[in-house]
Amino acid sequence: MKLLTIFTPLLLASVISFSVSAEVENPHSVGLSISGGGIDYKGKDTDGAGVGQSYLYYNYQFLPHYYLEVGLSSAEDTDDWDCDKTGDNSWNCRADHDNNFSLDADNFTQDSLIVAFKTDLSLSKRNSLYAKVGAEFYQYELSLAHNKFADESGVGLYLEAGWQYRWDNGIGLNTGIQHHDLGDLERTSVSIGASYSF
């Protein structure tokens, strides 16, 4: 309760600091980003490689520098993960036949709906830094030798920060770092993308 008492005036002050009557020129934007990275499941990971993601999203700018974002994300393993049984409950796993990793899995898929709040900080007319925080409604599966050992769904935390560049015609490019906290599974990746505002 004490935190809410402190946070509410700060939030109101930041909203009032922008002119509510200021018209946003192009409040809508759509974008697509692709990213690559690794997963960490209960402390076991893919050494930061082997998972690709595509993310299709829509942004609505309701105030200068403040946006609401809704998007669909799909991720899966992109390397050829191979696991061989070397003994009772012992597996030797690798990607591309030479990169050992500690997660005993040979298949990963994930689908998510993301609802996020985005803000940006202008560096110049076309350059800005951005940050996103939101809820991720996810479902993922991990399997080993065609046997699922994880089939989870729930609500997680989505974070992203990066840099974006937008031309006068509405086309923009961005690059950033994404983090998905999905309970027992965490995923961090580097993304690149393109968007169009209208």
Side-chain angles (χ1 to χ4, degrees), residues 8-197:
T8 303
L10 291 174
L11 181 62
L12 288 173
S14 68
V15 170
I16 292 169
S17 69
F18 296 103
S19 173
V20 177
S21 62
E23 218 172 286
V24 176
E25 191 173 320
N26 297 316
H28 308 281
S29 64
V30 292
L32 175 66
S33 69
I34 56 172
S35 62
I39 60 175
D40 185 312
Y41 181 72
K42 293 184 177 180
K44 295 184 176 181
D45 63 46
T46 60
D47 290 335
V51 175
Q53 171 190 284
S54 60
Y55 179 46
L56 178 66
Y57 60 88
Y58 165 77
N59 272 339
Y60 177 70
Q61 186 175 7
F62 58 91
L63 283 173
H65 308 286
Y66 290 99
Y67 309 76
L68 181 63
E69 180 169 298
V70 178
L72 297 173
S73 168
S74 181
E76 63 182 36
D77 58 285
T78 56
D79 285 344
D80 185 16
W81 295 3
D82 290 321
C83 292
D84 298 320
K85 195 165 187 175
T86 57
D88 291 340
N89 297 322
S90 179
W91 294 81
N92 179 30
C93 295
R94 62 203 171 278
D96 292 337
H97 306 289
D98 62 359
N99 183 20
N100 291 329
F101 57 91
S102 60
L103 179 64
D104 294 339
D106 59 8
N107 190 42
F108 169 73
T109 59
Q110 178 195 333
D111 292 306
S112 298
L113 168 68
I114 295 173
V115 179
F117 173 75
K118 176 185 172 185
T119 186
D120 62 18
L121 173 66
S122 296
L123 301 175
S124 68
K125 180 181 177 183
R126 293 187 175 93
N127 288 280
S128 61
L129 300 176
Y130 69 88
K132 302 177 188 180
V133 60
E136 182 164 1
F137 302 86
Y138 64 87
Q139 189 278 324
Y140 68 81
E141 292 179 4
L142 278 165
S143 61
L144 176 62
H146 304 290
N147 296 314
K148 290 182 197 175
F149 65 86
D151 185 356
E152 303 292 333
S153 60
V155 182
L157 177 65
Y158 170 72
L159 301 169
E160 183 176 349
W163 166 81
Q164 60 190 8
Y165 184 91
R166 188 168 305 281
W167 286 274
D168 292 337
N169 62 7
I171 295 174
L173 296 175
N174 67 281
T175 184
I177 296 175
Q178 297 179 352
H179 182 74
H180 307 258
D181 187 343
L182 312 177
D184 288 334
L185 186 142
E186 291 188 20
R187 198 160 55 78
T188 301
S189 56
V190 175
S191 70
I192 58 170
S195 61
Y196 177 70
S197 67

